[in-house]
Amino acid sequence: MPSETPRRPYDSGRRQEAARRNRAAVLAAGRELLFRDGYQATTVRAVAERAGVSPETLYKAFGGKTGLVKALWDVTLAGDDEPLAMAERPQLQAVLATRDPHAKLRLYAAFVRGVHERLAALSALLAQAGPEGGQVLAASEEERMTGVSAFVTHLAEAGALPPDADTARLADSWWALTGPQLYTQLTAGRGWDADTYEDWLTGVLVPALRGAA
């Protein structure tokens, strides 16, 4: 009875690396076509062809065009495609670890500035993209509200806020003050540079601190 041919061992590392390469290629192609051709003209097939993958591969990885754009938003927000939540990233970890409340807010304002600098162009594009673009922006705003609320809670737990501080109201106001629309109005609309925006944001956040006056 002939011996069976040994099966080749399953190389999960190689498969995962190929998936990472395909994902990076699709994200790069999606960014290029979105800014070159606009949201409506950028199709799943066009992105897949540009990335050198099949449309099925793109659908499997992102679920479709909206999922791809949301992933592109998340990568732009974070500055990379590493699987880390924003709160786990070094810049926010430095904010949370800083003991002095005023220094903490300065670092937080710098973090917000960096996020808006990275996202400004994509945000403006999606604002003109109709309901699908609005869906991505709405989801991102919900996530931003969660992040701002978590930071306000952190300040309260660290004793940086007055004991009677209304943390829910404070989170709402900081969510509005740190939003992309206001950043764009002050920079693109009023000509502020990013340093001026960062200094202003620090100044409007500090009065919430205990003993800020």
Side-chain angles (χ1 to χ4, degrees):
M1 187 173 179
S3 60
E4 294 183 0
T5 303
R7 293 184 178 182
R8 297 179 62 183
Y10 178 73
D11 189 346
S12 61
R14 182 176 298 178
R15 189 178 184 88
Q16 289 171 0
E17 178 58 30
R20 283 193 292 269
R21 286 198 304 270
N22 286 341
R23 177 180 170 85
V26 169
L27 288 170
R31 180 184 296 276
E32 178 185 348
L33 296 185
L34 280 171
F35 283 102
R36 191 189 73 185
D37 302 335
Y39 185 89
Q40 301 301 334
T42 299
T43 64
V44 166
R45 181 169 297 278
V47 173
E49 289 178 356
R50 185 67 175 172
V53 302
S54 68
E56 290 74 18
T57 295
L58 192 154
Y59 278 112
K60 183 177 180 180
F62 299 100
K65 181 176 174 179
T66 303
L68 167 61
V69 174
K70 181 58 168 66
L72 181 58
W73 178 277
D74 291 342
V75 168
T76 308
L77 166 68
D80 59 56
D81 198 19
E82 295 299 317
L84 285 175
M86 288 302 293
E88 298 172 343
R89 291 177 174 277
Q91 190 175 10
L92 267 182
Q93 284 291 299
V95 173
L96 299 177
T98 299
R99 292 182 177 274
D100 178 72
H102 290 77
K104 189 185 291 288
L105 286 188
R106 284 195 295 272
L107 290 174
Y108 184 70
F111 161 75
V112 172
R113 165 198 174 167
V115 165
H116 290 325
E117 285 181 313
R118 293 192 295 272
L119 283 174
L122 184 56
S123 180
L125 184 149
L126 292 180
Q128 304 298 319
E132 291 182 359
Q135 181 180 340
V136 173
L137 292 175
S140 72
E141 283 299 281
E142 290 182 8
E143 293 168 357
R144 195 170 66 80
M145 184 74 239
T146 299
V148 172
S149 297
F151 182 59
V152 170
T153 298
H154 162 75
L155 290 174
E157 292 175 347
L161 301 178
D164 60 348
D166 185 339
T167 55
R169 179 68 62 88
L170 186 60
D172 286 345
S173 63
W174 282 16
W175 173 78
L177 288 168
T178 59
Q181 295 88 354
L182 188 52
Y183 170 81
T184 300
Q185 287 175 326
L186 292 175
T187 54
R190 300 304 306 162
W192 290 18
D193 61 27
D195 288 338
T196 301
Y197 168 81
E198 183 181 327
D199 289 343
W200 168 82
L201 184 58
T202 303
V204 298
L205 297 182
V206 161
L209 297 177
R210 173 188 284 182

